[in-house]
Amino acid sequence: MLPCPAPPRGQLSFCVSAGHETPRPEVLSDHGRMRTPSRLPRSLRLAAWVVALVSLTALALGATLRSSMLDPDFYRRALDKERAYQRIYDEVLADPGSADLTRDLLGRLPVPESAVTANLKLVIPPETLRAMGDRQIPEVVRYLREDQEQLRLAVDIKPVAENIGTLAEIYFGDAVAAMQQQPEPDFQAFTERLSKAAESVVAGQAPKGLPSLPLSRDQAVRATALLLRVVPEAERSKVRPEILASLEGGDVASAMTTVTSAAVSDRTRAAVADVLRESGGSTWVITADIEASNDVLAPVHRARTAIHIMRYMVEPAAALLGSVSLLLLWFSAPPTTSRRLMPLGWALTTAAVLILSAVVYGHLRARDHLVDSPSSWPPAAARLVDDVQHALLDRVLATATTAATLLLTAAALFIAVAWAGQTRPAAPSPTRTRPVLLLATAVTTGAVAGAVVIPPVINGPAPQVCQGSPDLCDLRYDQVAHLTSHNAMASTADQFIGPSQDPDITGQLNAGVRALQIDTHRWEKPAEIADRLRDSDFSPRQQRQLLQALERLNPPREGLWLCHSVCGAGALELATALREIGDWLRDHRTEVVTLIIQDGVSPAETEGAFMRAGLTDLLYEPDQDPAQPWPTLADMIGNDQRLVVFAEQADGPAPWYRNFYRYGMETPFGFRSPQEMTCLPNRGGTGKRLFLLNHFVTDSGASRLDAGWVNRREEVLRRAHRCERRRGSPVNFIAVDYATVGDPRGAVDALNAERAR
């Protein structure tokens, strides 16, 4: 019996043997190997492949949702990425759109609005705000997981209320302690003024002054009884001995401080109690049934519904159908591993492509608002919500991209194994491989060398940068605009009471501030105060009493300090602060910084502080003639003389320590509202080369709410251009409170861009 001959490639073979014809269902592949026909019809295999594709896509998307929207850290990371808590201080609470509402709410408290908003981070510390947010996130996740039927949000305002009470005590205590006592001719005049001062405290206002008079024991007792009338009855027995002792010693300020603490604390508690009663208690609880809501929370319900469908319907069905379809594809393929892996690999590849297509669509959709904020919200709050939404979407899309990448990796592995099993190429000859390896090495080495050498040759040396821009290097110092921090040392970060800035001095420099207005002080010693009192109208007995009171209330500290009015409300050691400025300058060698000092200490003491801080090598010496042009920024940076120092009063003797108003002029300051801001001449007159624009509102201190309005980019530019036209000189220093609120840096950059053209 003869063997059957080999059939032509790709054709069925029929062989006649032993007198009958027997068909043999064999098909040869292009490589000459046997290929078994599919055990399933083509349409059924295609259907299985489509089901596998859809199931894999659904399972990957479901895993993306679980690892994002149902993970509390998913929300925390998005909030941190957008600096949400910090932006509440810098943008939302300072938004002009919310100023009226904020003032109305704070109007109930016995502390001026500006004092609360200026000390906002003491009233609501960042850690308290973050704790509030962290408390709400698990509630949202539990609602999305359907662990609870209603969304229950709770905000504990008791710590905030307690902080407001503490702030009220500090504010009035400092205000009273800093007051100068004025002598009265008799006891009746003394009691009348003392009564008015007590009434001011009860009304939530700092007294305009305190009376002074040596008191007998009987008069001190009667004055104590007068002050106790404004103290809550429950507190009177506790504070009576302290008030009496202070009045007997002639220390009216200490007596009034004790009264203030008790009276203001009681009034604060009463005001806070009213707010708490209106809100239903010390914890605000918002239980929202949002199933049918159409407000801003409606998307939360839609997300919950989508997650429910995905978890309990789509994913189980996808897991079951996907498993069945993949098994069908596996067992319907020819019985070799390489043949069975190929359709699985292409199914994974297509699923990954579908997921990446959804990611691309999500990025395109991200240009639109996902959830529209209510029209009643201030713009800053709406922007913050939009930014957080986009951050959340970005994280979802990044997670989906990771899932698609994993599918592609698995697909590539399956397809590579299948392809290798089908082709099985012969092993290359070592003699033929060696030249290929040498050529690949040479090409790789050349590419790396080219990547290192060619770009510098093409691009040339890096351009010089001055104040963050190469366009400013050719401008003179007196042509450049500098963002300036008013009362730069009085910051929230350094826990000043009544701050004018939020970051510390280094933080302000990092935020783009290039000129710092600082106040130098020195705690006066008792002997120095006594010398001053000898020339006053106080009697010797009164002088002794005042000295005792001052020594007890404001004990002297050695050294030189940066303070704002009263060092007890916050102080930085002068040399230490200067050393930090020097460290920043040495870390940023293309920057020029200016100090404008409200000098409360002598020039010699100031010079000594700069020497102790090690700044003498960085100091620039202005020309003795104020009319002479200043050097360019490039020259100052090239000579490493990048620290310019002015004083408001002194003029030398150090050659680098010059009076600002010899070289510069300014606008008025002390505006109580944005509408009062003018361009009129003030100190320094007119016609000077340097121009200081005082652009801040002072209402019992720095006003955060007004800063939110006047620090807007368009508002700063509008006033700067107006004052430049009226004064005929470019603005050089734009002094603002809360330099990180609004966008004053954007306005300064715009001014410099105009001048660099």
Side-chain angles (χ1 to χ4, degrees):
M1 183 172 58
L2 297 175
C4 294
R9 290 183 180 179
Q11 298 182 7
L12 289 173
S13 171
F14 296 91
C15 180
V16 178
S17 177
H20 61 275
E21 184 178 270
T22 304
R24 186 172 62 189
E26 298 175 355
V27 179
L28 295 185
S29 67
D30 293 338
H31 298 285
R33 301 187 185 92
M34 185 178 68
R35 184 175 65 193
T36 302
S38 172
R39 301 177 184 179
L40 290 179
R42 181 182 297 275
S43 59
L44 187 56
R45 281 177 56 82
L46 178 61
W49 188 84
V50 171
V51 170
L53 166 64
V54 174
S55 299
L56 289 170
T57 304
L59 290 172
L61 293 177
T64 298
L65 288 178
R66 286 197 310 274
S67 62
S68 57
M69 298 185 68
L70 299 183
D71 180 9
D73 287 337
F74 166 71
Y75 301 95
R76 295 189 181 102
R77 286 192 290 266
L79 291 171
D80 289 340
K81 178 179 180 294
E82 293 302 321
R83 299 174 55 253
Y85 299 114
Q86 183 63 40
R87 288 174 64 182
I88 289 177
Y89 297 108
D90 294 345
E91 299 176 16
V92 177
L93 293 175
D95 192 311
S98 62
D100 291 340
L101 176 61
T102 304
R103 285 192 167 101
D104 179 64
L105 292 174
L106 298 178
R108 306 181 186 185
L109 300 173
V111 187
E113 161 265 311
S114 60
V116 177
T117 55
N119 297 281
L120 203 55
K121 289 187 179 179
L122 299 180
V123 175
I124 311 177
E127 57 271 17
T128 299
L129 197 61
R130 181 179 292 276
M132 290 179 179
D134 289 344
R135 183 175 178 179
Q136 312 315 316
I137 291 173
E139 291 289 333
V140 174
V141 172
R142 280 193 289 270
Y143 178 77
L144 293 176
R145 287 176 177 168
E146 299 185 293
D147 294 339
Q148 56 192 35
E149 292 303 317
Q150 290 181 313
L151 181 61
R152 184 180 184 276
L153 305 178
V155 178
D156 186 5
I157 63 171
K158 187 176 180 181
V160 177
E162 292 175 350
N163 290 342
I164 291 176
T166 302
L167 174 63
E169 293 182 30
I170 295 173
Y171 172 80
F172 281 103
D174 282 343
V176 171
M179 287 180 181
Q180 193 172 23
Q181 297 181 186
Q182 300 176 359
E184 293 294 343
D186 53 42
F187 185 67
Q188 181 178 354
F190 174 85
T191 55
E192 288 176 356
R193 287 196 59 200
L194 190 64
S195 179
K196 290 181 180 179
E199 291 172 358
S200 297
V201 168
V202 174
Q205 300 173 352
K208 294 182 179 180
L210 297 178
S212 174
L213 182 72
L215 301 178
S216 65
R217 170 70 179 183
D218 180 63
Q219 288 174 330
V221 171
R222 290 160 60 188
T224 299
L226 176 67
L227 290 178
L228 287 175
R229 293 176 186 175
V230 301
V231 175
E233 188 172 352
E235 302 286 329
R236 291 176 183 175
S237 60
K238 185 188 304 182
V239 300
R240 184 181 184 280
E242 187 175 351
I243 295 174
L244 179 59
S246 298
L247 291 177
E248 282 187 307
D251 186 2
V252 180
S254 291
M256 188 59 69
T257 301
T258 304
V259 172
T260 298
S261 178
V264 171
S265 297
D266 184 68
R267 188 167 182 263
T268 303
R269 285 192 294 268
V272 171
D274 289 340
V275 175
L276 295 179
R277 275 195 299 273
E278 293 178 9
S279 64
S282 63
T283 302
W284 289 349
V285 179
I286 305 170
T287 302
D289 186 1
I290 60 175
E291 182 174 352
S293 66
N294 293 318
D295 60 9
V296 70
L297 294 177
V300 180
H301 173 69
R302 292 198 293 268
R304 186 187 197 218
T305 303
I307 291 173
H308 174 86
I309 294 173
M310 180 64 72
R311 293 180 69 191
Y312 298 108
M313 299 174 64
V314 174
E315 286 191 280
L320 177 61
L321 295 175
S323 300
V324 171
S325 60
L326 290 174
L327 288 174
L328 285 175
L329 291 175
W330 178 269
F331 287 109
S332 65
T336 60
T337 302
S338 61
R339 293 289 183 182
R340 289 173 167 172
L341 287 177
M342 186 65 75
L344 301 185
W346 285 116
L348 292 173
T349 300
T350 311
V353 170
L354 287 177
I355 295 172
L356 291 175
S357 299
V359 169
V360 172
Y361 173 77
H363 279 295
L364 295 175
R365 174 70 192 281
R367 299 175 183 175
D368 304 325
H369 297 300
L370 302 180
V371 178
D372 291 329
S373 302
S375 58
S376 59
W377 284 20
R383 283 195 302 272
L384 177 57
V385 170
D386 288 343
D387 291 345
V388 172
Q389 289 182 69
H390 290 134
L392 292 172
L393 178 62
D394 288 343
R395 295 198 67 82
V396 171
L397 297 179
T399 305
T401 302
T402 301
T405 302
L406 293 175
L407 289 178
L408 281 176
T409 302
L413 179 62
F414 285 3
I415 293 173
V417 172
W419 180 79
Q422 292 180 31
T423 57
R424 294 180 184 173
S429 170
T431 58
R432 300 173 62 183
T433 302
R434 189 174 296 110
V436 174
L437 291 177
L438 292 175
L439 178 61
T441 302
V443 171
T444 303
T445 303
V448 172
V452 174
V453 175
I454 293 175
V457 173
I458 295 176
N459 298 327
Q464 184 179 10
V465 175
C466 303
Q467 300 291 68
S469 172
D471 299 330
L472 302 183
C473 290
D474 292 334
L475 292 181
R476 298 194 311 271
Y477 174 84
D478 55 335
Q479 294 174 319
V480 178
H482 309 268
L483 179 58
T484 305
S485 290
H486 176 234
N487 292 330
M489 68 286 163
S491 70
T492 302
D494 287 314
Q495 299 183 331
F496 273 66
I497 300 299
S500 298
Q501 306 295 332
D502 278 333
D504 59 13
I505 288 177
T506 299
Q508 294 168 43
L509 293 172
N510 289 335
V513 170
R514 291 297 175 266
L516 305 166
Q517 292 180 312
I518 56 178
D519 302 355
T520 57
H521 288 266
R522 184 166 53 85
W523 258 288
E524 293 181 303
K525 297 179 180 179
E528 295 170 331
I529 299 175
D531 290 338
R532 290 174 53 191
L533 288 175
R534 290 192 187 98
D535 298 328
S536 68
D537 295 330
F538 292 110
S539 67
R541 181 182 177 185
Q542 291 172 332
Q543 292 180 21
R544 288 193 300 272
Q545 292 171 340
L546 280 174
L547 282 172
Q548 293 172 358
L550 290 172
E551 188 172 359
R552 181 171 63 257
L553 289 173
N554 194 14
R557 295 194 207 175
E558 295 295 331
L560 306 177
W561 301 84
L562 295 178
C563 309
H564 184 212
S565 300
V566 180
C567 287
L572 299 177
E573 205 275 327
L574 175 59
T576 301
L578 293 176
R579 194 173 296 112
E580 291 177 2
I581 295 171
D583 292 342
W584 189 90
L585 278 168
R586 292 185 175 91
D587 290 337
H588 301 79
R589 296 188 174 275
T590 61
E591 305 297 321
V592 176
V593 171
T594 302
L595 303 182
I596 302 176
I597 301 176
Q598 181 178 319
D599 43 332
V601 302
S602 70
E605 290 172 316
T606 302
E607 183 178 4
F610 275 82
M611 293 180 65
R612 290 192 298 276
L615 296 181
T616 53
D617 60 317
L618 293 172
L619 293 167
Y620 175 77
E621 298 183 7
D623 195 289
Q624 287 279 12
D625 182 2
Q628 290 299 315
W630 287 71
T632 64
L633 293 185
D635 290 338
M636 297 176 72
I637 292 169
N639 295 327
D640 204 26
Q641 295 178 336
R642 298 179 288 114
L643 181 58
V644 183
V645 184
F646 293 109
E648 290 190 359
Q649 300 181 49
D651 188 29
W656 48 263
Y657 193 43
R658 293 301 175 197
N659 184 277
F660 179 80
Y661 299 108
R662 280 186 58 213
Y663 294 81
M665 55 187 176
E666 68 171 1
T667 62
F669 57 89
F671 305 115
R672 298 185 65 83
S673 70
Q675 294 72 29
E676 295 180 11
M677 288 183 166
T678 70
C679 303
L680 296 174
N682 197 39
R683 293 176 295 184
T686 60
K688 303 294 176 57
R689 280 194 168 272
L690 300 179
F691 187 4
L692 167 62
L693 185 74
N694 291 308
H695 193 75
F696 48 87
V697 174
T698 302
D699 183 13
S700 300
S703 174
R704 183 185 294 271
L705 297 185
D706 286 315
W709 175 264
V710 302
N711 286 5
R712 294 178 306 141
R713 181 179 184 274
E714 58 271 23
E715 184 64 20
V716 176
L717 283 173
R718 184 192 64 79
R719 183 163 179 249
H721 286 145
R722 178 162 58 92
C723 292
E724 287 178 342
R725 288 192 298 269
R726 295 193 177 185
R727 302 289 283 273
S729 179
V731 167
N732 302 110
F733 304 100
I734 299 179
V736 298
D737 287 333
Y738 301 107
T740 54
V741 170
D743 189 21
R745 180 180 179 179
V748 169
D749 290 343
L751 289 173
N752 284 329
E754 294 171 3
R755 299 169 188 179
R757 290 172 186 168

